[in-house]
Amino acid sequence: MHQPPILRVARHTDMHAIWQIDVDVFGEDTYPGFFFRQAMDLWPELLLVAELDGRLLGYALGGLGQNRSQGWLLSLAVLPEARGFGLAERMMLKVEQALTDLRVEHVRLTVDPANPAQRLYFRLGYQKLAEERDYFGPDEARLLLEKRLG
């Protein structure tokens, strides 16, 4: 990549491309397409995309918890050919800034204990709160991480 992708808030016309990135990155473990549309309605400033030359290369989705001082990074995906350029980090920091602007004090995320992306999360200041063996169902372990914002 000669120039860095631009990060911007997602638009309705991005919905299919976001869902396709989700499928390409996560395979069977994807959100249904309508979820992204509903997330956009709930938290429009928290669904970001990375675009280069009119093509989406990744997305990041934040959300707000029941307690509005707590936010979530619900999903982050970068296409394989766009990895290694700091795109995930840029998108995470932008979601964190959007959450900070909404007066969120803490952001949480979950990650598979085998996912190498957790190195990025720890480097950005996330700390392990818990490890749950059956978070999404039997043998679907996740680390629960949290970062204080601001």
Side-chain angles (χ1 to χ4, degrees):
M1 281 189 275
H2 294 62
Q3 59 182 356
I6 62 159
L7 303 185
R8 62 171 174 79
V9 172
R11 300 186 283 255
H12 292 140
T13 54
D14 298 323
M15 289 298 108
H16 181 74
I18 291 169
W19 177 80
Q20 190 62 59
I21 290 168
D22 211 47
V23 169
D24 292 347
V25 171
F26 299 116
E28 293 179 11
D29 296 326
T30 62
Y31 285 116
F34 68 81
F35 174 77
F36 293 106
R37 177 63 170 92
Q38 290 175 330
M40 177 185 276
D41 287 343
L42 290 169
W43 315 294
E45 64 279 357
L46 299 178
L47 179 53
L48 305 175
V49 296
E51 179 181 25
L52 183 64
D53 298 328
R55 179 172 178 242
L56 297 191
L57 301 175
Y59 77 87
L61 173 60
L64 295 176
Q66 191 172 1
N67 173 350
R68 293 197 45 109
S69 70
Q70 181 182 300
W72 285 86
L73 180 69
L74 297 171
S75 189
L76 174 72
V78 177
L79 291 175
E81 65 268 24
R83 292 181 186 155
F85 298 98
L87 199 48
E89 180 174 344
R90 285 180 58 212
M91 288 192 298
M92 284 188 68
L93 293 172
K94 194 156 174 93
V95 168
E96 288 175 10
Q97 184 57 56
L99 287 166
T100 299
D101 292 347
L102 293 169
R103 293 182 161 50
V104 168
E105 297 171 10
H106 297 89
V107 59
R108 289 184 175 181
L109 61 84
T110 66
V111 62
D112 185 318
N115 187 334
Q118 67 180 285
R119 288 191 311 266
L120 169 63
Y121 306 146
F122 288 125
R123 188 168 50 77
L124 291 178
Y126 286 80
Q127 297 181 347
K128 180 177 156 183
L129 289 182
E131 182 169 354
E132 296 187 33
R133 195 170 60 93
D134 300 320
Y135 189 87
F136 285 121
D139 297 320
E140 300 251 1
R142 289 295 182 272
L143 298 177
L144 175 60
L145 307 181
E146 183 176 77
K147 178 179 178 178
R148 180 163 182 77
L149 299 176

